[in-house]
Amino acid sequence: MALSASALMPLNLVKFYACKGIPNANRWNKVSSRTAHSINFSLLFEKRGIGFRNGIAAAAAASPSPVNEDISQKETPQRIYTWPDNKKPKVCILGGGFGGLYTALRLESLIWADDKKPQVLLVDQSERFVFKPMLYELLSGEVDAWEIAPRFSELLANTGIQFFQDRVKMLRPADHLGMNGSTGYCSGGTVVLESGLLIEYDWLVLSLGAEAKLDTVPGAAEFAFPFSTLEDACKVDNKLKELERREFGKDSLIRVAVVGCGYSGVELAATVSERLQDRGLVQAINVNTTILPTAPPGNREVALKVLSSRKVQLLLGYFVRCIRKEIDLEGSAMPTEAGIFPKTLAEHGSEKYILELQPAERGLQSEILEADLVLWTVGSKPPLPQLEPYDKTHELPLNGRGQAETDETLRVKGHPRIFALGDSSALRDMNGRILPATAQVAFQQADFTGWNLWAAINDRPLLPFRFQNLGEMMTLGRNDAALSPSFIEGLTLEGPVGHAARKIAYLIRLPTDEHRLKVGISWLTKSAVDSVASIQSTLSKVLSGS
């Protein structure tokens, strides 16, 4: 989102505006060098835990430091975001997924006193919110991108929520100085974005989601396709189209290897196998000896039945040891590494990937697979930003997966002004187990986070979060799905009924009423067109048979 010059206070004013080509740069020429040095000193005070405004006041009388000049020249010029009203609470939300966006919308829906209603700033690296559970429908052609990936600018058009498209570079929390949120300073800390924008906040929400972890297996980062973002889904769809064109009219099969048989892997295997039908061979690899080890038995049984009917090969009890690429030139395979094989030579051959499988248990032999496409669905890591470790008290308590440890109110332990939820949070249930990183958990945590922010700002008691498992559902193709509600034990909806129930459940969960209405009309229209086409096809077959 473009930022007006009036909303920003640059540290190196004249140089910054000159290099960026921002108009009205001359208006800053009158700013004295002493003022610029004061701003730089405020950052140094802030790094040492001193309040931002107090730091400016203290630095105003200080003389410039040569060391500070050297640092400012080496660092990217920073700009300070100016909130519209300094007297109202300032809430910065990092990440616009289910946790971040729905927390912002929850804050917007609550009733506030005029002087207490917070200013909310949402930051995400993408311009679109992505409804991730329905990314598989992009591969099957069942939905359009705008339906499950609307722009933040459209979703937030009728709200007071500000949105910046940017990446988070660093956190500078200051709330570790107190245990109840009252640190004695106006600011809870600052956030530094990659663009150089510095945001001072009173309350911070970490909901940055998770990224695919591809660095655990040699070759995975170079040759495997993850499937967790809109960009990932588009790349996989384009690769499938390329393979479909290449193999059109040929007898050879398109070979797809899916690594991982959790929900994401099974849904991918079912969707891709339905799309390719007899033109493809899908092989799903899992280190466990069963698929969907944590799913309800009903969902697992339905998934096994669907995968078997589509002739998906399951390689259970194996893990991938490495992936390498070869180029097949007139029937002879030649090994290559990423980026070093001549492009002109590669254009005359076809690429294929070799997966070396190692048995996870005794009694199994090593396997070698060939694939035209490798889809990776195992492993993830939350991309929490770095902190400036001037002392140990700044550090966020992280678990082995890099998630922030939170108390039952979703506040990060030791940081009363920072909330974490979704993939960024490591909240444990009553049995001591970390809650799963699912959309359902993030939905519910966003509701509680919004309420607890309201309570914290209004000096009210915060509520402990209690997850309520409503059931689990998964897609298995254009007209197949499995849904096991938790409130009816043993019931599993499958086939077209489960598919319709799943779409209705997700339609209700779309972020705004306006978007929900548009998508609902679009889906009804598509359903009507598909029904008419099905009737016409049936009548045509009947008439041709007679």
Side-chain angles (χ1 to χ4, degrees), residues 446-496:
D447 191 49
F448 270 77
T449 302
W451 174 263
N452 281 343
L453 278 167
W454 180 94
I457 291 171
N458 288 281
D459 296 323
R460 301 290 183 85
L462 276 63
L463 296 177
F465 175 74
R466 296 290 183 266
F467 173 60
Q468 295 182 347
N469 186 4
L470 303 178
E472 299 181 17
M473 50 190 178
M474 60 188 303
T475 182
L476 296 168
R478 290 185 65 91
N479 290 297
D480 276 304
L483 190 155
S484 296
S486 62
F487 48 84
I488 304 178
E489 186 175 356
L491 174 65
T492 300
L493 302 178
E494 59 179 294

Short mmCIF file of all heavy atoms in Angstrom, two decimals, residues 446-496:
data_model
loop_
_atom_site.label_atom_id
_atom_site.label_comp_id
_atom_site.label_asym_id
_atom_site.label_seq_id
_atom_site.Cartn_x
_atom_site.Cartn_y
_atom_site.Cartn_z
N ALA A 446 -8.46 -16.62 17.25
CA ALA A 446 -8.65 -15.23 16.83
C ALA A 446 -9.78 -14.58 17.60
O ALA A 446 -9.70 -13.41 18.00
CB ALA A 446 -8.91 -15.18 15.33
N ASP A 447 -10.85 -15.32 17.83
CA ASP A 447 -11.98 -14.80 18.57
C ASP A 447 -11.56 -14.44 20.00
O ASP A 447 -11.89 -13.37 20.53
CB ASP A 447 -13.11 -15.83 18.58
CG ASP A 447 -14.41 -15.26 19.11
OD1 ASP A 447 -14.81 -14.17 18.66
OD2 ASP A 447 -15.03 -15.89 19.98
N PHE A 448 -10.80 -15.34 20.63
CA PHE A 448 -10.34 -15.09 21.99
C PHE A 448 -9.30 -13.97 22.05
O PHE A 448 -9.31 -13.17 22.99
CB PHE A 448 -9.75 -16.38 22.59
CG PHE A 448 -10.75 -17.24 23.30
CD1 PHE A 448 -11.63 -18.03 22.59
CD2 PHE A 448 -10.82 -17.25 24.69
CE1 PHE A 448 -12.56 -18.82 23.23
CE2 PHE A 448 -11.75 -18.04 25.35
CZ PHE A 448 -12.63 -18.83 24.62
N THR A 449 -8.42 -13.92 21.08
CA THR A 449 -7.41 -12.87 21.06
C THR A 449 -8.05 -11.49 20.95
O THR A 449 -7.65 -10.55 21.64
CB THR A 449 -6.42 -13.08 19.91
OG1 THR A 449 -5.80 -14.37 20.04
CG2 THR A 449 -5.33 -12.02 19.90
N GLY A 450 -9.03 -11.37 20.06
CA GLY A 450 -9.74 -10.11 19.94
C GLY A 450 -10.40 -9.70 21.25
O GLY A 450 -10.31 -8.54 21.69
N TRP A 451 -11.06 -10.66 21.90
CA TRP A 451 -11.71 -10.35 23.16
C TRP A 451 -10.69 -10.00 24.25
O TRP A 451 -10.90 -9.06 25.02
CB TRP A 451 -12.57 -11.52 23.61
CG TRP A 451 -13.15 -11.31 24.98
CD1 TRP A 451 -12.68 -11.77 26.16
CD2 TRP A 451 -14.30 -10.51 25.30
NE1 TRP A 451 -13.45 -11.33 27.21
CE2 TRP A 451 -14.46 -10.54 26.70
CE3 TRP A 451 -15.21 -9.77 24.54
CZ2 TRP A 451 -15.49 -9.89 27.37
CZ3 TRP A 451 -16.23 -9.11 25.20
CH2 TRP A 451 -16.37 -9.16 26.58
N ASN A 452 -9.60 -10.75 24.34
CA ASN A 452 -8.61 -10.49 25.38
C ASN A 452 -7.88 -9.18 25.17
O ASN A 452 -7.44 -8.54 26.13
CB ASN A 452 -7.62 -11.65 25.48
CG ASN A 452 -8.19 -12.83 26.24
OD1 ASN A 452 -9.18 -12.70 26.97
ND2 ASN A 452 -7.59 -14.00 26.09
N LEU A 453 -7.72 -8.75 23.92
CA LEU A 453 -7.18 -7.42 23.67
C LEU A 453 -8.15 -6.36 24.18
O LEU A 453 -7.73 -5.36 24.79
CB LEU A 453 -6.92 -7.23 22.17
CG LEU A 453 -5.61 -7.81 21.64
CD1 LEU A 453 -5.62 -7.83 20.12
CD2 LEU A 453 -4.41 -7.00 22.14
N TRP A 454 -9.42 -6.57 23.95
CA TRP A 454 -10.43 -5.65 24.48
C TRP A 454 -10.34 -5.60 26.00
O TRP A 454 -10.38 -4.52 26.61
CB TRP A 454 -11.83 -6.10 24.05
CG TRP A 454 -12.94 -5.22 24.54
CD1 TRP A 454 -13.52 -4.18 23.87
CD2 TRP A 454 -13.62 -5.31 25.80
NE1 TRP A 454 -14.51 -3.60 24.62
CE2 TRP A 454 -14.60 -4.26 25.83
CE3 TRP A 454 -13.52 -6.13 26.91
CZ2 TRP A 454 -15.44 -4.06 26.91
CZ3 TRP A 454 -14.35 -5.93 27.99
CH2 TRP A 454 -15.30 -4.91 28.00
N ALA A 455 -10.23 -6.78 26.63
CA ALA A 455 -10.16 -6.84 28.09
C ALA A 455 -8.90 -6.17 28.61
O ALA A 455 -8.93 -5.42 29.60
CB ALA A 455 -10.22 -8.29 28.55
N ALA A 456 -7.76 -6.40 27.97
CA ALA A 456 -6.50 -5.81 28.42
C ALA A 456 -6.53 -4.28 28.30
O ALA A 456 -6.07 -3.56 29.19
CB ALA A 456 -5.34 -6.38 27.61
N ILE A 457 -7.08 -3.78 27.19
CA ILE A 457 -7.13 -2.33 26.98
C ILE A 457 -8.09 -1.68 27.98
O ILE A 457 -7.87 -0.55 28.43
CB ILE A 457 -7.56 -2.03 25.53
CG1 ILE A 457 -6.43 -2.45 24.56
CG2 ILE A 457 -7.88 -0.56 25.33
CD1 ILE A 457 -6.80 -2.39 23.11
N ASN A 458 -9.14 -2.39 28.37
CA ASN A 458 -10.14 -1.85 29.29
C ASN A 458 -9.91 -2.29 30.74
O ASN A 458 -10.80 -2.15 31.58
CB ASN A 458 -11.54 -2.27 28.84
CG ASN A 458 -11.99 -1.54 27.59
OD1 ASN A 458 -12.42 -0.40 27.64
ND2 ASN A 458 -11.88 -2.22 26.45
N ASP A 459 -8.73 -2.85 31.02
CA ASP A 459 -8.37 -3.28 32.37
C ASP A 459 -9.39 -4.27 32.94
O ASP A 459 -9.80 -4.18 34.10
CB ASP A 459 -8.24 -2.07 33.30
CG ASP A 459 -7.09 -1.16 32.90
OD1 ASP A 459 -6.05 -1.69 32.45
OD2 ASP A 459 -7.25 0.07 33.00
N ARG A 460 -9.78 -5.23 32.12
CA ARG A 460 -10.69 -6.29 32.54
C ARG A 460 -9.94 -7.62 32.57
O ARG A 460 -8.88 -7.76 31.93
CB ARG A 460 -11.88 -6.41 31.57
CG ARG A 460 -12.70 -5.13 31.45
CD ARG A 460 -13.48 -4.83 32.70
NE ARG A 460 -14.32 -3.65 32.55
CZ ARG A 460 -15.54 -3.66 32.02
NH1 ARG A 460 -16.07 -4.81 31.62
NH2 ARG A 460 -16.22 -2.54 31.91
N PRO A 461 -10.45 -8.62 33.29
CA PRO A 461 -9.78 -9.93 33.33
C PRO A 461 -9.78 -10.59 31.95
O PRO A 461 -10.77 -10.52 31.21
CB PRO A 461 -10.64 -10.72 34.33
CG PRO A 461 -11.39 -9.70 35.12
CD PRO A 461 -11.62 -8.55 34.20
N LEU A 462 -8.69 -11.24 31.63
CA LEU A 462 -8.57 -11.95 30.36
C LEU A 462 -9.13 -13.36 30.51
O LEU A 462 -9.06 -13.97 31.58
CB LEU A 462 -7.11 -12.02 29.91
CG LEU A 462 -6.57 -10.80 29.15
CD1 LEU A 462 -6.58 -9.55 30.01
CD2 LEU A 462 -5.16 -11.06 28.64
N LEU A 463 -9.67 -13.88 29.40
CA LEU A 463 -10.28 -15.21 29.43
C LEU A 463 -9.27 -16.27 29.01
O LEU A 463 -8.49 -16.06 28.06
CB LEU A 463 -11.47 -15.26 28.47
CG LEU A 463 -12.67 -14.37 28.80
CD1 LEU A 463 -13.73 -14.50 27.70
CD2 LEU A 463 -13.26 -14.74 30.15
N PRO A 464 -9.26 -17.42 29.67
CA PRO A 464 -8.40 -18.53 29.23
C PRO A 464 -8.99 -19.18 27.99
O PRO A 464 -10.21 -19.38 27.89
CB PRO A 464 -8.41 -19.47 30.43
CG PRO A 464 -9.71 -19.20 31.12
CD PRO A 464 -10.00 -17.74 30.92
N PHE A 465 -8.13 -19.51 27.05
CA PHE A 465 -8.60 -20.15 25.82
C PHE A 465 -8.83 -21.63 26.03
O PHE A 465 -8.00 -22.32 26.61
CB PHE A 465 -7.58 -19.95 24.69
CG PHE A 465 -7.93 -20.67 23.42
CD1 PHE A 465 -8.94 -20.22 22.61
CD2 PHE A 465 -7.24 -21.82 23.06
CE1 PHE A 465 -9.28 -20.89 21.45
CE2 PHE A 465 -7.56 -22.50 21.90
CZ PHE A 465 -8.58 -22.03 21.09
N ARG A 466 -9.96 -22.10 25.56
CA ARG A 466 -10.28 -23.53 25.60
C ARG A 466 -10.73 -23.94 24.20
O ARG A 466 -11.75 -23.46 23.70
CB ARG A 466 -11.39 -23.82 26.62
CG ARG A 466 -11.00 -23.52 28.06
CD ARG A 466 -9.96 -24.51 28.57
NE ARG A 466 -9.62 -24.28 29.97
CZ ARG A 466 -8.61 -23.54 30.38
NH1 ARG A 466 -7.83 -22.93 29.48
NH2 ARG A 466 -8.36 -23.38 31.67
N PHE A 467 -9.95 -24.83 23.60
CA PHE A 467 -10.27 -25.28 22.25
C PHE A 467 -11.43 -26.26 22.27
O PHE A 467 -11.48 -27.18 23.08
CB PHE A 467 -9.05 -25.94 21.62
CG PHE A 467 -9.32 -26.59 20.29
CD1 PHE A 467 -9.80 -25.85 19.22
CD2 PHE A 467 -9.10 -27.96 20.12
CE1 PHE A 467 -10.05 -26.45 18.00
CE2 PHE A 467 -9.35 -28.56 18.90
CZ PHE A 467 -9.83 -27.81 17.84
N GLN A 468 -12.39 -26.04 21.37
CA GLN A 468 -13.52 -26.94 21.21
C GLN A 468 -13.43 -27.59 19.84
O GLN A 468 -13.62 -26.93 18.82
CB GLN A 468 -14.85 -26.19 21.35
CG GLN A 468 -15.09 -25.61 22.73
CD GLN A 468 -16.42 -24.90 22.84
OE1 GLN A 468 -17.07 -24.62 21.84
NE2 GLN A 468 -16.84 -24.61 24.06
N ASN A 469 -13.15 -28.88 19.82
CA ASN A 469 -13.01 -29.61 18.56
C ASN A 469 -14.40 -29.85 17.97
O ASN A 469 -15.21 -30.59 18.53
CB ASN A 469 -12.30 -30.93 18.80
CG ASN A 469 -11.99 -31.66 17.50
OD1 ASN A 469 -12.24 -31.14 16.41
ND2 ASN A 469 -11.45 -32.86 17.61
N LEU A 470 -14.67 -29.23 16.83
CA LEU A 470 -15.97 -29.36 16.18
C LEU A 470 -16.00 -30.49 15.16
O LEU A 470 -17.06 -30.77 14.59
CB LEU A 470 -16.33 -28.04 15.48
CG LEU A 470 -16.38 -26.81 16.39
CD1 LEU A 470 -16.70 -25.56 15.58
CD2 LEU A 470 -17.37 -27.00 17.50
N GLY A 471 -14.88 -31.14 14.95
CA GLY A 471 -14.80 -32.21 13.96
C GLY A 471 -13.74 -31.92 12.92
O GLY A 471 -13.08 -30.88 12.96
N GLU A 472 -13.57 -32.84 11.98
CA GLU A 472 -12.56 -32.68 10.94
C GLU A 472 -13.15 -33.02 9.58
O GLU A 472 -14.01 -33.90 9.47
CB GLU A 472 -11.36 -33.59 11.23
CG GLU A 472 -10.67 -33.28 12.54
CD GLU A 472 -9.47 -34.17 12.82
OE1 GLU A 472 -9.00 -34.81 11.86
OE2 GLU A 472 -9.03 -34.23 13.97
N MET A 473 -12.70 -32.31 8.57
CA MET A 473 -13.19 -32.54 7.21
C MET A 473 -12.07 -32.38 6.20
O MET A 473 -11.08 -31.69 6.46
CB MET A 473 -14.36 -31.62 6.88
CG MET A 473 -14.15 -30.15 7.17
SD MET A 473 -15.71 -29.25 6.99
CE MET A 473 -15.17 -27.60 7.46
N MET A 474 -12.25 -33.02 5.06
CA MET A 474 -11.22 -33.00 4.02
C MET A 474 -11.87 -33.17 2.66
O MET A 474 -12.95 -33.78 2.53
CB MET A 474 -10.22 -34.16 4.26
CG MET A 474 -10.86 -35.52 4.23
SD MET A 474 -9.76 -36.86 4.73
CE MET A 474 -8.44 -36.67 3.56
N THR A 475 -11.24 -32.60 1.65
CA THR A 475 -11.72 -32.78 0.28
C THR A 475 -11.01 -33.95 -0.37
O THR A 475 -9.82 -34.21 -0.10
CB THR A 475 -11.49 -31.51 -0.56
OG1 THR A 475 -12.02 -31.71 -1.87
CG2 THR A 475 -10.02 -31.17 -0.66
N LEU A 476 -11.73 -34.66 -1.23
CA LEU A 476 -11.16 -35.80 -1.95
C LEU A 476 -11.47 -35.73 -3.44
O LEU A 476 -11.40 -36.73 -4.13
CB LEU A 476 -11.70 -37.11 -1.36
CG LEU A 476 -11.31 -37.39 0.10
CD1 LEU A 476 -12.13 -38.54 0.67
CD2 LEU A 476 -9.82 -37.68 0.21
N GLY A 477 -11.81 -34.52 -3.93
CA GLY A 477 -12.11 -34.36 -5.34
C GLY A 477 -13.30 -33.44 -5.53
O GLY A 477 -13.85 -32.87 -4.59
N ARG A 478 -13.72 -33.33 -6.79
CA ARG A 478 -14.80 -32.39 -7.12
C ARG A 478 -16.12 -32.76 -6.46
O ARG A 478 -16.94 -31.88 -6.18
CB ARG A 478 -14.98 -32.33 -8.64
CG ARG A 478 -13.84 -31.64 -9.37
CD ARG A 478 -14.17 -31.51 -10.85
NE ARG A 478 -15.31 -30.63 -11.08
CZ ARG A 478 -15.22 -29.33 -11.30
NH1 ARG A 478 -14.04 -28.73 -11.28
NH2 ARG A 478 -16.30 -28.60 -11.52
N ASN A 479 -16.39 -34.02 -6.26
CA ASN A 479 -17.65 -34.43 -5.65
C ASN A 479 -17.44 -35.39 -4.49
O ASN A 479 -18.36 -36.13 -4.12
CB ASN A 479 -18.57 -35.07 -6.70
CG ASN A 479 -19.09 -34.07 -7.70
OD1 ASN A 479 -19.81 -33.14 -7.35
ND2 ASN A 479 -18.71 -34.24 -8.96
N ASP A 480 -16.25 -35.40 -3.95
CA ASP A 480 -15.93 -36.31 -2.85
C ASP A 480 -15.34 -35.52 -1.69
O ASP A 480 -14.53 -34.60 -1.90
CB ASP A 480 -14.93 -37.39 -3.29
CG ASP A 480 -15.63 -38.56 -3.95
OD1 ASP A 480 -16.52 -39.15 -3.31
OD2 ASP A 480 -15.28 -38.88 -5.09
N ALA A 481 -15.72 -35.91 -0.50
CA ALA A 481 -15.17 -35.31 0.72
C ALA A 481 -15.49 -36.24 1.88
O ALA A 481 -16.28 -37.18 1.74
CB ALA A 481 -15.73 -33.91 0.95
N ALA A 482 -14.87 -35.97 3.01
CA ALA A 482 -15.17 -36.71 4.23
C ALA A 482 -15.28 -35.70 5.37
O ALA A 482 -14.45 -34.80 5.50
CB ALA A 482 -14.07 -37.72 4.53
N LEU A 483 -16.33 -35.84 6.17
CA LEU A 483 -16.58 -34.91 7.26
C LEU A 483 -17.05 -35.70 8.47
O LEU A 483 -18.06 -36.42 8.39
CB LEU A 483 -17.63 -33.87 6.84
CG LEU A 483 -17.88 -32.67 7.76
CD1 LEU A 483 -18.44 -31.51 6.97
CD2 LEU A 483 -18.85 -33.03 8.89
N SER A 484 -16.31 -35.58 9.58
CA SER A 484 -16.66 -36.29 10.81
C SER A 484 -16.91 -35.27 11.92
O SER A 484 -15.96 -34.76 12.52
CB SER A 484 -15.53 -37.25 11.22
OG SER A 484 -15.34 -38.26 10.26
N PRO A 485 -18.17 -34.91 12.19
CA PRO A 485 -18.45 -33.96 13.27
C PRO A 485 -18.20 -34.59 14.63
O PRO A 485 -18.48 -35.77 14.84
CB PRO A 485 -19.93 -33.62 13.06
CG PRO A 485 -20.49 -34.81 12.35
CD PRO A 485 -19.39 -35.35 11.49
N SER A 486 -17.68 -33.79 15.55
CA SER A 486 -17.34 -34.33 16.87
C SER A 486 -18.57 -34.52 17.76
O SER A 486 -18.53 -35.30 18.71
CB SER A 486 -16.35 -33.38 17.57
OG SER A 486 -16.94 -32.11 17.76
N PHE A 487 -19.66 -33.81 17.46
CA PHE A 487 -20.84 -33.87 18.32
C PHE A 487 -21.73 -35.06 18.03
O PHE A 487 -22.70 -35.30 18.74
CB PHE A 487 -21.64 -32.56 18.22
CG PHE A 487 -21.89 -32.10 16.80
CD1 PHE A 487 -22.94 -32.58 16.06
CD2 PHE A 487 -21.03 -31.17 16.22
CE1 PHE A 487 -23.16 -32.15 14.76
CE2 PHE A 487 -21.23 -30.74 14.92
CZ PHE A 487 -22.30 -31.23 14.18
N ILE A 488 -21.43 -35.82 16.97
CA ILE A 488 -22.18 -37.06 16.69
C ILE A 488 -21.14 -38.17 16.51
O ILE A 488 -20.53 -38.30 15.45
CB ILE A 488 -23.06 -36.94 15.43
CG1 ILE A 488 -24.02 -35.75 15.57
CG2 ILE A 488 -23.84 -38.23 15.23
CD1 ILE A 488 -24.90 -35.55 14.35
N GLU A 489 -20.94 -38.95 17.52
CA GLU A 489 -19.89 -39.95 17.50
C GLU A 489 -20.17 -41.03 16.45
O GLU A 489 -21.29 -41.55 16.34
CB GLU A 489 -19.77 -40.60 18.88
CG GLU A 489 -18.59 -41.56 19.00
CD GLU A 489 -18.44 -42.10 20.41
OE1 GLU A 489 -19.19 -41.67 21.31
OE2 GLU A 489 -17.54 -42.95 20.60
N GLY A 490 -19.15 -41.34 15.67
CA GLY A 490 -19.26 -42.40 14.67
C GLY A 490 -19.84 -41.97 13.34
O GLY A 490 -19.85 -42.76 12.40
N LEU A 491 -20.33 -40.73 13.23
CA LEU A 491 -20.93 -40.28 11.97
C LEU A 491 -19.86 -39.70 11.06
O LEU A 491 -19.04 -38.87 11.49
CB LEU A 491 -21.99 -39.21 12.24
CG LEU A 491 -22.61 -38.54 10.99
CD1 LEU A 491 -23.38 -39.57 10.16
CD2 LEU A 491 -23.49 -37.38 11.38
N THR A 492 -19.86 -40.12 9.80
CA THR A 492 -18.96 -39.56 8.78
C THR A 492 -19.75 -39.31 7.51
O THR A 492 -20.35 -40.24 6.94
CB THR A 492 -17.79 -40.51 8.48
OG1 THR A 492 -17.04 -40.74 9.67
CG2 THR A 492 -16.88 -39.91 7.42
N LEU A 493 -19.81 -38.08 7.09
CA LEU A 493 -20.46 -37.72 5.83
C LEU A 493 -19.43 -37.84 4.71
O LEU A 493 -18.32 -37.32 4.83
CB LEU A 493 -21.01 -36.30 5.89
CG LEU A 493 -22.02 -36.01 7.01
CD1 LEU A 493 -22.44 -34.54 6.97
CD2 LEU A 493 -23.23 -36.91 6.89
N GLU A 494 -19.81 -38.51 3.64
CA GLU A 494 -18.87 -38.72 2.54
C GLU A 494 -19.55 -38.51 1.21
O GLU A 494 -20.76 -38.30 1.13
CB GLU A 494 -18.29 -40.14 2.61
CG GLU A 494 -19.34 -41.24 2.55
CD GLU A 494 -18.71 -42.62 2.60
OE1 GLU A 494 -17.99 -42.97 1.63
OE2 GLU A 494 -18.93 -43.33 3.59
N GLY A 495 -18.74 -38.56 0.14
CA GLY A 495 -19.29 -38.40 -1.20
C GLY A 495 -19.84 -37.01 -1.43
O GLY A 495 -19.41 -36.02 -0.83
N PRO A 496 -20.85 -36.88 -2.31
CA PRO A 496 -21.44 -35.57 -2.61
C PRO A 496 -22.03 -34.87 -1.39
O PRO A 496 -21.98 -33.64 -1.29
CB PRO A 496 -22.52 -35.89 -3.65
CG PRO A 496 -22.07 -37.18 -4.28
CD PRO A 496 -21.39 -37.93 -3.19
#
